[in-house]
Amino acid sequence: MGLFNNERLILGYDLGNEFCQISYAFSDTGEVETLSQVAGAENFSIPAVLCKRAGVNQWFYGKDALRYAEEEQGILVENLLELALDGEPIIIEGESYDPVALLALFFKRSLGLLTQVASSERIGALMITCEMVDNRVLDVLNRMVAAVHLKTDKVAFQSHTESYYNYILRQPGELWLNRSMLFDYRSNSVRVYRMECNRKTTPVVVFIDETIHPFYAWEPLPEEGAVREKRIHELDGALLRIAENAMQSQVESVYLIGDGFEQEWMKESLRYLCKGRRVFQGNNLFSKGACYGMQERLSVSQAGREHVFLGRDKLKANIGMQVLRQGEESYYALLDAGVNWYEADYTVELYIRDGNELTLLVTPLMGKNSKEARIILEDFPGNIARLRAHFFLEAENLLVIEAQDLGFGEFRSSSRRVWQEKIQIY
């Protein structure tokens, strides 16, 4: 499979602390595939590790890094994302390394797998998904991407929760009419995502709750004998209890992902999950969901128009203001509900007269009445002025307003005064 003419590659990149996965499509609506490290096999997980060859400045990544470290030919660096988030320099053979630079090196090397289908220079859009996205994660991811010098500015970030939503959005409607669930078994826990649709609203509002259940640390099952059977009984029983606790109402579909589910130990738990539900098992849902998410941004699907996702990272209210237009009062939208809070950003120039305040209208999408939020411009110079107002969020619930005095033409020059106000919007 290859690229033709000027087609651009759309990537979904799942970046975890232990491994990454890369899914891709050749158009806004094209089929999404996942890169495998072995041609013809579903070997999607790339170990998120580097290995510096002993004594020389030569680096390996992924499975090659593990092999060189196992052969004691180099120094293995694991937990690259966690190290980058901590920010402390990494000392290897007496030399100090920036952990974000090491993460960027892994990111660049892993993108080399794209040679299976196209040149990495053909990347037209990229969505990176992580378990969670906050200010610290955003800073690291932005620095990582900047270091690689991709030939596109269409780069975005989303949480695993939103990648799950984007994945489900592209599945047949009967699989998520009301509810769908995802069980993710990694390391020593099972993370359960529960998606619900409120079809009494227009558009349909979608919520996803997350719970984390401590679980047996993932490790290969013993090959045979009583020890194997005992281990299977323990795992199966523990998962059954989690599933029974989670399934309190009708669920149309269940997805099982993570290395821990790849071994054949689910008997009673799988039998329970399959009662009246469709059950799917795989390992690349988040990377495919990230790719679908970028496709959705580039070309909104019918399902995307009919649904709005209000996850943890989403702005859950419409924010606007009443303004005079051609002598008539009208509503002016500033920030729309459903956008990721860290992408909510709007700048507008406006005139203010007969007062020293701006009044915003905050309208929650669900459950609460609209409210007004007032911003007082202390020591405002004059009765009329032109302002440049910048609206953005510092957190999911914290709106920041920056207003700059631009003066009023020939009548009054700008004072260059800037006011800043922070408002809890819920």
mmCIF file of all heavy atoms in Angstrom, residues 11-46:
data_model
loop_
_atom_site.group_PDB
_atom_site.id
_atom_site.type_symbol
_atom_site.label_atom_id
_atom_site.label_comp_id
_atom_site.label_asym_id
_atom_site.label_seq_id
_atom_site.Cartn_x
_atom_site.Cartn_y
_atom_site.Cartn_z
ATOM 1 N N LEU A 11 -2.067 10.429 11.150
ATOM 2 C CA LEU A 11 -1.556 9.492 12.157
ATOM 3 C C LEU A 11 -2.302 9.627 13.483
ATOM 4 O O LEU A 11 -2.668 10.723 13.906
ATOM 5 C CB LEU A 11 -0.074 9.760 12.440
ATOM 6 C CG LEU A 11 0.966 9.498 11.354
ATOM 7 C CD1 LEU A 11 2.357 9.623 11.944
ATOM 8 C CD2 LEU A 11 0.771 8.142 10.718
ATOM 9 N N GLY A 12 -2.470 8.461 14.133
ATOM 10 C CA GLY A 12 -2.865 8.418 15.529
ATOM 11 C C GLY A 12 -1.746 7.736 16.295
ATOM 12 O O GLY A 12 -1.381 6.591 15.981
ATOM 13 N N TYR A 13 -1.170 8.420 17.269
ATOM 14 C CA TYR A 13 0.021 7.922 17.981
ATOM 15 C C TYR A 13 -0.331 7.771 19.457
ATOM 16 O O TYR A 13 -0.584 8.766 20.150
ATOM 17 C CB TYR A 13 1.173 8.899 17.795
ATOM 18 C CG TYR A 13 2.530 8.398 18.249
ATOM 19 C CD1 TYR A 13 3.484 8.002 17.320
ATOM 20 C CD2 TYR A 13 2.867 8.337 19.597
ATOM 21 C CE1 TYR A 13 4.746 7.553 17.719
ATOM 22 C CE2 TYR A 13 4.108 7.884 20.014
ATOM 23 C CZ TYR A 13 5.043 7.501 19.068
ATOM 24 O OH TYR A 13 6.287 7.058 19.467
ATOM 25 N N ASP A 14 -0.379 6.532 19.931
ATOM 26 C CA ASP A 14 -0.663 6.246 21.341
ATOM 27 C C ASP A 14 0.663 6.160 22.085
ATOM 28 O O ASP A 14 1.439 5.229 21.880
ATOM 29 C CB ASP A 14 -1.446 4.938 21.454
ATOM 30 C CG ASP A 14 -1.743 4.560 22.907
ATOM 31 O OD1 ASP A 14 -1.621 5.432 23.786
ATOM 32 O OD2 ASP A 14 -2.106 3.389 23.142
ATOM 33 N N LEU A 15 0.927 7.145 22.934
ATOM 34 C CA LEU A 15 2.192 7.221 23.660
ATOM 35 C C LEU A 15 1.967 6.853 25.119
ATOM 36 O O LEU A 15 1.303 7.571 25.866
ATOM 37 C CB LEU A 15 2.785 8.626 23.559
ATOM 38 C CG LEU A 15 4.083 8.867 24.327
ATOM 39 C CD1 LEU A 15 5.189 7.944 23.833
ATOM 40 C CD2 LEU A 15 4.513 10.327 24.215
ATOM 41 N N GLY A 16 2.537 5.730 25.528
ATOM 42 C CA GLY A 16 2.452 5.312 26.921
ATOM 43 C C GLY A 16 3.822 5.236 27.546
ATOM 44 O O GLY A 16 4.847 5.425 26.879
ATOM 45 N N ASN A 17 3.850 4.939 28.822
ATOM 46 C CA ASN A 17 5.125 4.847 29.514
ATOM 47 C C ASN A 17 5.857 3.552 29.177
ATOM 48 O O ASN A 17 7.085 3.488 29.237
ATOM 49 C CB ASN A 17 4.899 4.941 31.026
ATOM 50 C CG ASN A 17 6.145 5.327 31.774
ATOM 51 O OD1 ASN A 17 6.860 6.247 31.373
ATOM 52 N ND2 ASN A 17 6.445 4.635 32.859
ATOM 53 N N GLU A 18 5.111 2.513 28.788
ATOM 54 C CA GLU A 18 5.712 1.215 28.507
ATOM 55 C C GLU A 18 5.822 0.913 27.014
ATOM 56 O O GLU A 18 6.723 0.202 26.585
ATOM 57 C CB GLU A 18 4.908 0.112 29.198
ATOM 58 C CG GLU A 18 4.909 0.249 30.724
ATOM 59 C CD GLU A 18 4.035 -0.798 31.390
ATOM 60 O OE1 GLU A 18 3.350 -1.541 30.662
ATOM 61 O OE2 GLU A 18 4.028 -0.849 32.632
ATOM 62 N N PHE A 19 4.889 1.427 26.215
ATOM 63 C CA PHE A 19 4.939 1.156 24.782
ATOM 64 C C PHE A 19 4.186 2.244 24.025
ATOM 65 O O PHE A 19 3.471 3.057 24.613
ATOM 66 C CB PHE A 19 4.347 -0.222 24.452
ATOM 67 C CG PHE A 19 2.881 -0.342 24.752
ATOM 68 C CD1 PHE A 19 1.931 0.090 23.841
ATOM 69 C CD2 PHE A 19 2.446 -0.888 25.950
ATOM 70 C CE1 PHE A 19 0.582 -0.008 24.111
ATOM 71 C CE2 PHE A 19 1.102 -0.990 26.233
ATOM 72 C CZ PHE A 19 0.160 -0.547 25.301
ATOM 73 N N CYS A 20 4.355 2.256 22.701
ATOM 74 C CA CYS A 20 3.561 3.135 21.843
ATOM 75 C C CYS A 20 2.979 2.303 20.714
ATOM 76 O O CYS A 20 3.426 1.184 20.438
ATOM 77 C CB CYS A 20 4.400 4.291 21.300
ATOM 78 S SG CYS A 20 5.427 3.855 19.872
ATOM 79 N N GLN A 21 1.963 2.853 20.057
ATOM 80 C CA GLN A 21 1.365 2.248 18.878
ATOM 81 C C GLN A 21 1.061 3.356 17.873
ATOM 82 O O GLN A 21 0.778 4.492 18.264
ATOM 83 C CB GLN A 21 0.081 1.488 19.216
ATOM 84 C CG GLN A 21 0.307 0.267 20.095
ATOM 85 C CD GLN A 21 -0.975 -0.444 20.456
ATOM 86 O OE1 GLN A 21 -2.070 0.046 20.227
ATOM 87 N NE2 GLN A 21 -0.849 -1.636 21.028
ATOM 88 N N ILE A 22 1.097 3.014 16.588
ATOM 89 C CA ILE A 22 0.901 4.010 15.533
ATOM 90 C C ILE A 22 -0.137 3.500 14.543
ATOM 91 O O ILE A 22 0.051 2.452 13.929
ATOM 92 C CB ILE A 22 2.215 4.309 14.781
ATOM 93 C CG1 ILE A 22 3.335 4.695 15.752
ATOM 94 C CG2 ILE A 22 1.996 5.422 13.754
ATOM 95 C CD1 ILE A 22 4.706 4.809 15.102
ATOM 96 N N SER A 23 -1.239 4.230 14.410
ATOM 97 C CA SER A 23 -2.247 3.931 13.405
ATOM 98 C C SER A 23 -2.259 5.039 12.364
ATOM 99 O O SER A 23 -1.828 6.167 12.633
ATOM 100 C CB SER A 23 -3.634 3.781 14.045
ATOM 101 O OG SER A 23 -3.681 2.631 14.878
ATOM 102 N N TYR A 24 -2.764 4.733 11.180
ATOM 103 C CA TYR A 24 -2.676 5.701 10.086
ATOM 104 C C TYR A 24 -3.836 5.529 9.120
ATOM 105 O O TYR A 24 -4.494 4.485 9.062
ATOM 106 C CB TYR A 24 -1.358 5.522 9.325
ATOM 107 C CG TYR A 24 -1.246 4.180 8.628
ATOM 108 C CD1 TYR A 24 -1.643 4.015 7.301
ATOM 109 C CD2 TYR A 24 -0.778 3.059 9.315
ATOM 110 C CE1 TYR A 24 -1.567 2.779 6.682
ATOM 111 C CE2 TYR A 24 -0.697 1.811 8.699
ATOM 112 C CZ TYR A 24 -1.098 1.679 7.378
ATOM 113 O OH TYR A 24 -1.036 0.454 6.763
ATOM 114 N N ALA A 25 -4.099 6.585 8.362
ATOM 115 C CA ALA A 25 -5.080 6.561 7.273
ATOM 116 C C ALA A 25 -4.559 7.469 6.175
ATOM 117 O O ALA A 25 -3.725 8.351 6.414
ATOM 118 C CB ALA A 25 -6.447 7.028 7.759
ATOM 119 N N PHE A 26 -5.069 7.281 4.964
ATOM 120 C CA PHE A 26 -4.601 8.057 3.825
ATOM 121 C C PHE A 26 -5.553 9.168 3.413
ATOM 122 O O PHE A 26 -5.322 9.844 2.423
ATOM 123 C CB PHE A 26 -4.346 7.127 2.632
ATOM 124 C CG PHE A 26 -3.163 6.226 2.832
ATOM 125 C CD1 PHE A 26 -3.348 4.874 3.054
ATOM 126 C CD2 PHE A 26 -1.876 6.718 2.830
ATOM 127 C CE1 PHE A 26 -2.263 4.028 3.244
ATOM 128 C CE2 PHE A 26 -0.794 5.882 3.028
ATOM 129 C CZ PHE A 26 -0.983 4.534 3.224
ATOM 130 N N SER A 27 -6.645 9.339 4.158
ATOM 131 C CA SER A 27 -7.573 10.430 3.862
ATOM 132 C C SER A 27 -8.425 10.696 5.089
ATOM 133 O O SER A 27 -8.393 9.942 6.059
ATOM 134 C CB SER A 27 -8.468 10.091 2.667
ATOM 135 O OG SER A 27 -9.397 9.073 3.012
ATOM 136 N N ASP A 28 -9.232 11.777 5.020
ATOM 137 C CA ASP A 28 -10.081 12.148 6.145
ATOM 138 C C ASP A 28 -11.100 11.070 6.486
ATOM 139 O O ASP A 28 -11.546 10.962 7.629
ATOM 140 C CB ASP A 28 -10.836 13.445 5.840
ATOM 141 C CG ASP A 28 -9.904 14.611 5.587
ATOM 142 O OD1 ASP A 28 -8.682 14.431 5.746
ATOM 143 O OD2 ASP A 28 -10.394 15.697 5.209
ATOM 144 N N THR A 29 -11.492 10.296 5.493
ATOM 145 C CA THR A 29 -12.520 9.275 5.711
ATOM 146 C C THR A 29 -12.004 7.868 5.422
ATOM 147 O O THR A 29 -12.771 6.911 5.427
ATOM 148 C CB THR A 29 -13.744 9.557 4.815
ATOM 149 O OG1 THR A 29 -13.313 9.617 3.446
ATOM 150 C CG2 THR A 29 -14.411 10.867 5.188
ATOM 151 N N GLY A 30 -10.701 7.728 5.163
ATOM 152 C CA GLY A 30 -10.135 6.450 4.783
ATOM 153 C C GLY A 30 -10.072 5.456 5.927
ATOM 154 O O GLY A 30 -10.188 5.810 7.102
ATOM 155 N N GLU A 31 -9.883 4.203 5.570
ATOM 156 C CA GLU A 31 -9.780 3.135 6.562
ATOM 157 C C GLU A 31 -8.528 3.316 7.407
ATOM 158 O O GLU A 31 -7.472 3.705 6.903
ATOM 159 C CB GLU A 31 -9.740 1.780 5.856
ATOM 160 C CG GLU A 31 -9.777 0.583 6.792
ATOM 161 C CD GLU A 31 -9.822 -0.733 6.039
ATOM 162 O OE1 GLU A 31 -9.978 -0.703 4.796
ATOM 163 O OE2 GLU A 31 -9.698 -1.782 6.686
ATOM 164 N N VAL A 32 -8.653 3.049 8.693
ATOM 165 C CA VAL A 32 -7.534 3.204 9.622
ATOM 166 C C VAL A 32 -6.860 1.855 9.843
ATOM 167 O O VAL A 32 -7.527 0.861 10.161
ATOM 168 C CB VAL A 32 -8.007 3.802 10.966
ATOM 169 C CG1 VAL A 32 -6.868 3.837 11.971
ATOM 170 C CG2 VAL A 32 -8.570 5.206 10.753
ATOM 171 N N GLU A 33 -5.554 1.821 9.665
ATOM 172 C CA GLU A 33 -4.751 0.619 9.892
ATOM 173 C C GLU A 33 -3.717 0.919 10.976
ATOM 174 O O GLU A 33 -3.450 2.081 11.296
ATOM 175 C CB GLU A 33 -4.039 0.198 8.604
ATOM 176 C CG GLU A 33 -4.959 -0.044 7.421
ATOM 177 C CD GLU A 33 -5.732 -1.331 7.530
ATOM 178 O OE1 GLU A 33 -5.440 -2.128 8.450
ATOM 179 O OE2 GLU A 33 -6.625 -1.565 6.682
ATOM 180 N N THR A 34 -3.114 -0.135 11.517
ATOM 181 C CA THR A 34 -2.097 0.027 12.558
ATOM 182 C C THR A 34 -0.801 -0.621 12.100
ATOM 183 O O THR A 34 -0.802 -1.719 11.548
ATOM 184 C CB THR A 34 -2.558 -0.606 13.879
ATOM 185 O OG1 THR A 34 -3.820 -0.049 14.246
ATOM 186 C CG2 THR A 34 -1.560 -0.327 14.996
ATOM 187 N N LEU A 35 0.308 0.099 12.324
ATOM 188 C CA LEU A 35 1.618 -0.415 11.934
ATOM 189 C C LEU A 35 2.011 -1.594 12.819
ATOM 190 O O LEU A 35 1.825 -1.560 14.041
ATOM 191 C CB LEU A 35 2.679 0.678 12.061
ATOM 192 C CG LEU A 35 2.589 1.855 11.083
ATOM 193 C CD1 LEU A 35 3.625 2.912 11.442
ATOM 194 C CD2 LEU A 35 2.792 1.392 9.646
ATOM 195 N N SER A 36 2.556 -2.615 12.187
ATOM 196 C CA SER A 36 3.061 -3.771 12.921
ATOM 197 C C SER A 36 4.574 -3.840 12.769
ATOM 198 O O SER A 36 5.116 -3.504 11.709
ATOM 199 C CB SER A 36 2.432 -5.060 12.392
ATOM 200 O OG SER A 36 3.018 -6.190 13.007
ATOM 201 N N GLN A 37 5.244 -4.242 13.846
ATOM 202 C CA GLN A 37 6.695 -4.373 13.773
ATOM 203 C C GLN A 37 7.108 -5.583 12.943
ATOM 204 O O GLN A 37 8.244 -5.666 12.491
ATOM 205 C CB GLN A 37 7.268 -4.516 15.186
ATOM 206 C CG GLN A 37 7.036 -3.280 16.041
ATOM 207 C CD GLN A 37 7.590 -3.469 17.435
ATOM 208 O OE1 GLN A 37 8.742 -3.173 17.719
ATOM 209 N NE2 GLN A 37 6.761 -3.997 18.321
ATOM 210 N N VAL A 38 6.173 -6.513 12.746
ATOM 211 C CA VAL A 38 6.441 -7.710 11.939
ATOM 212 C C VAL A 38 5.405 -7.758 10.826
ATOM 213 O O VAL A 38 4.205 -7.796 11.094
ATOM 214 C CB VAL A 38 6.366 -8.995 12.780
ATOM 215 C CG1 VAL A 38 6.638 -10.214 11.910
ATOM 216 C CG2 VAL A 38 7.356 -8.926 13.939
ATOM 217 N N ALA A 39 5.849 -7.728 9.585
ATOM 218 C CA ALA A 39 4.938 -7.721 8.451
ATOM 219 C C ALA A 39 4.013 -8.934 8.496
ATOM 220 O O ALA A 39 4.448 -10.061 8.718
ATOM 221 C CB ALA A 39 5.730 -7.714 7.142
ATOM 222 N N GLY A 40 2.706 -8.666 8.320
ATOM 223 C CA GLY A 40 1.733 -9.739 8.298
ATOM 224 C C GLY A 40 1.247 -10.192 9.651
ATOM 225 O O GLY A 40 0.363 -11.049 9.742
ATOM 226 N N ALA A 41 1.806 -9.643 10.720
ATOM 227 C CA ALA A 41 1.399 -10.017 12.082
ATOM 228 C C ALA A 41 0.810 -8.806 12.795
ATOM 229 O O ALA A 41 1.084 -7.669 12.434
ATOM 230 C CB ALA A 41 2.589 -10.558 12.875
ATOM 231 N N GLU A 42 -0.029 -9.071 13.799
ATOM 232 C CA GLU A 42 -0.608 -7.974 14.580
ATOM 233 C C GLU A 42 0.271 -7.684 15.786
ATOM 234 O O GLU A 42 -0.128 -7.823 16.938
ATOM 235 C CB GLU A 42 -2.038 -8.316 14.992
ATOM 236 C CG GLU A 42 -2.987 -8.426 13.816
ATOM 237 C CD GLU A 42 -4.428 -8.600 14.247
ATOM 238 O OE1 GLU A 42 -4.667 -8.790 15.467
ATOM 239 O OE2 GLU A 42 -5.314 -8.553 13.377
ATOM 240 N N ASN A 43 1.495 -7.267 15.504
ATOM 241 C CA ASN A 43 2.483 -6.969 16.543
ATOM 242 C C ASN A 43 2.584 -5.450 16.664
ATOM 243 O O ASN A 43 3.507 -4.818 16.158
ATOM 244 C CB ASN A 43 3.828 -7.590 16.140
ATOM 245 C CG ASN A 43 4.819 -7.582 17.277
ATOM 246 O OD1 ASN A 43 4.572 -6.992 18.328
ATOM 247 N ND2 ASN A 43 5.950 -8.229 17.068
ATOM 248 N N PHE A 44 1.568 -4.861 17.325
ATOM 249 C CA PHE A 44 1.389 -3.414 17.282
ATOM 250 C C PHE A 44 2.209 -2.645 18.315
ATOM 251 O O PHE A 44 2.552 -1.491 18.110
ATOM 252 C CB PHE A 44 -0.087 -3.063 17.485
ATOM 253 C CG PHE A 44 -1.011 -3.683 16.479
ATOM 254 C CD1 PHE A 44 -2.215 -4.249 16.880
ATOM 255 C CD2 PHE A 44 -0.690 -3.701 15.128
ATOM 256 C CE1 PHE A 44 -3.080 -4.821 15.957
ATOM 257 C CE2 PHE A 44 -1.540 -4.274 14.198
ATOM 258 C CZ PHE A 44 -2.744 -4.831 14.615
ATOM 259 N N SER A 45 2.498 -3.255 19.457
ATOM 260 C CA SER A 45 3.095 -2.526 20.577
ATOM 261 C C SER A 45 4.607 -2.382 20.407
ATOM 262 O O SER A 45 5.324 -3.381 20.298
ATOM 263 C CB SER A 45 2.780 -3.232 21.902
ATOM 264 O OG SER A 45 1.394 -3.204 22.157
ATOM 265 N N ILE A 46 5.066 -1.146 20.393
ATOM 266 C CA ILE A 46 6.495 -0.831 20.269
ATOM 267 C C ILE A 46 7.010 -0.484 21.667
ATOM 268 O O ILE A 46 6.565 0.512 22.252
ATOM 269 C CB ILE A 46 6.716 0.367 19.328
ATOM 270 C CG1 ILE A 46 6.040 0.123 17.977
ATOM 271 C CG2 ILE A 46 8.199 0.659 19.159
ATOM 272 C CD1 ILE A 46 5.880 1.376 17.140
#
